[in-house]
Amino acid sequence: VQLQASGGGTVQIGGSLRLSCAASGRTFNVMSWFRQAPGKEREFVAAVAWSGAPTYSPSVKGRFTISRDNAKNMVDLQMNSLKPEDTAVYYCAARTQSVIRFDIRAYGYWGQGTLVTVSS
């Protein structure tokens, strides 16, 4: 079982980036994105249920959109209106249970992380 994240990079304030995560080996009920800024703990960003219903952290709601393609076993994170505080390593994570959780301990499967840098 593997999660492979891609799409990170450097973007200017107010710009956009799209992250993708491809899962292989099995399917998951919940697929999520977390992020970890330098010197900070990993935090929840967004999650999507098998049905496609999304959940967002208040810090990104209205700017980020999470979506999934169950046939391709992929989850995307469209990030718009990026701010310097969005700078972090972004990780995709997945869990087999159907309830969306915000706690990193609830996730047994993690991708390798992709760096997003928002600069002026």
Side-chain angles (χ1 to χ4, degrees), residues 57-76:
S57 163
S59 64
V60 307
K61 193 171 185 178
R63 299 188 297 122
F64 291 11
T65 302
I66 189 170
S67 60
R68 67 187 293 168
D69 185 330
N70 292 335
K72 295 182 179 179
N73 211 6
M74 293 185 65
V75 61
D76 288 347

Side-chain angles (χ1 to χ4, degrees), residues 55 75 81 90 116:
T55 300
V75 61
S81 302
Y90 283 71
V116 172

